[in-house]
Amino acid sequence: MPKVLVVDDDIKLLKMLKRTLVFENLDVLTATNGREALEVVQQEAPDLLIVDWMMPEMDGLELIQHLRDANNRMPILMLTARDAVENRVFGLESGADDYLVKPFAPAELVARVHALLRRVEPKADDQEVQYNDVRLDPKQHEAWRGERKLSLTVTEFNLLYYFLRHPRQVLERNQILMDVWGYDFGGDSNVLEIYISYLRKKLEAENEPRLIQTVRGIGYMLREE
């Protein structure tokens, strides 16, 4: 049974989220601030984190950054009342994998939780994949560019894996979102662009040639320049 940690200082919302997720046959842990959540993460090693942005003592962003700095790659869903695009971008750049604006429908939360959990499931095909000097081992959850090992979050790993399984193919933006994230974020979301930027920075950290190419007006393609 997947283990989910929900962190929010709104006790009423916290109880509602727990009821909703327990109904989905998930093992639900709770915390009311970031410091408490860190202790739960260390003790229980949850499979997924759902965290509110604004909280006392340690807010959601601080918690996420602390976890990512510690190389914790579990998927993270951020909850917040801040719906401006720049806030969404900031949340994702801080290390969240997904972003849900309050108020939200419980059904949408459940869909996103299941989509995030699918990303950490073992891959059906555990064979290594490679294109050019980039290779990825889904069984060991490791990736390299040449001899350099890449440090990737769950979302970055799955996005790279998707590209490596479809080399030299033009991949439409909505197709990538559906296949990697599990649903369409909508036309006003730039979550894909943010994660493409993350991958490019890590793949090109030592001035290697770009492999993820932009196909204007359509999407992206993995190919040599």
Side-chain angles (χ1 to χ4, degrees):
M1 180 183 295
K3 191 180 297 184
V4 178
L5 171 59
V6 184
V7 190
D8 201 310
D9 61 327
D10 183 334
I11 301 302
K12 184 177 180 180
L13 178 60
L14 194 63
K15 290 181 178 179
M16 183 277 286
L17 292 172
K18 182 173 182 176
R19 287 196 305 269
T20 299
L21 296 173
V22 166
F23 187 76
E24 295 294 317
N25 295 316
L26 298 172
D27 183 5
V28 182
L29 309 167
T30 60
T32 56
N33 61 66
R35 296 194 186 281
E36 183 182 345
L38 279 178
E39 295 180 4
V40 177
V41 169
Q42 292 169 359
Q43 295 170 5
E44 301 289 343
D47 301 295
L48 170 70
L49 173 66
I50 302 173
V51 59
D52 186 36
W53 185 328
M54 301 300 295
M55 294 184 297
E57 295 191 44
M58 178 188 288
D59 66 22
L61 284 183
E62 291 178 281
L63 173 60
I64 293 171
Q65 290 168 345
H66 187 96
L67 292 170
R68 294 313 190 211
D69 288 344
N71 202 32
N72 188 309
R73 297 179 298 190
M74 71 172 162
I76 298 174
L77 172 62
M78 174 173 279
L79 306 178
T80 180
R82 300 182 175 187
D83 61 352
V85 171
E86 57 268 25
N87 289 327
R88 300 184 194 189
V89 171
F90 189 62
L92 293 168
E93 287 181 338
S94 298
D97 296 279
D98 198 355
Y99 189 108
L100 191 55
V101 177
K102 300 177 181 179
F104 51 82
E108 182 176 9
L109 172 79
V110 168
R112 297 195 182 211
V113 165
H114 284 308
L116 285 168
L117 287 172
R118 280 195 295 271
R119 297 184 211 174
V120 294
E121 292 176 351
K123 304 291 185 295
D125 180 3
D126 61 0
Q127 298 300 310
E128 281 194 15
V129 287
Q130 181 168 353
Y131 177 77
N132 196 278
D133 61 346
V134 178
R135 60 190 176 94
L136 180 149
D137 183 346
K139 189 173 182 180
Q140 300 298 324
H141 205 280
E142 294 178 338
W144 300 263
R145 176 125 201 208
E147 298 302 314
R148 180 167 59 87
K149 189 174 181 180
L150 304 173
S151 177
L152 304 175
T153 67
V154 170
T155 299
E156 292 165 351
F157 186 89
N158 286 322
L159 183 57
L160 180 60
Y161 185 50
Y162 186 74
F163 275 115
L164 288 170
R165 287 186 293 122
H166 302 88
R168 303 187 190 89
Q169 297 180 34
V170 177
L171 303 172
E172 296 184 3
R173 182 180 183 278
N174 287 343
Q175 176 187 354
I176 299 172
L177 287 168
M178 287 295 296
D179 291 346
V180 177
W181 273 263
Y183 53 89
D184 189 348
F185 275 74
D188 63 343
S189 173
N190 53 3
V191 66
L192 177 57
E193 287 71 21
I194 291 169
Y195 273 97
I196 292 293
S197 175
Y198 290 169
L199 267 184
R200 282 173 171 166
K201 286 178 182 178
K202 293 183 178 183
L203 288 170
E204 303 164 19
E206 296 185 0
N207 297 315
E208 294 96 337
R210 174 157 294 180
L211 292 178
I212 301 177
Q213 314 296 340
T214 300
V215 182
R216 293 191 180 279
I218 301 176
Y220 298 93
M221 175 189 289
L222 183 70
R223 64 170 173 79
E224 301 172 63
E225 288 184 301

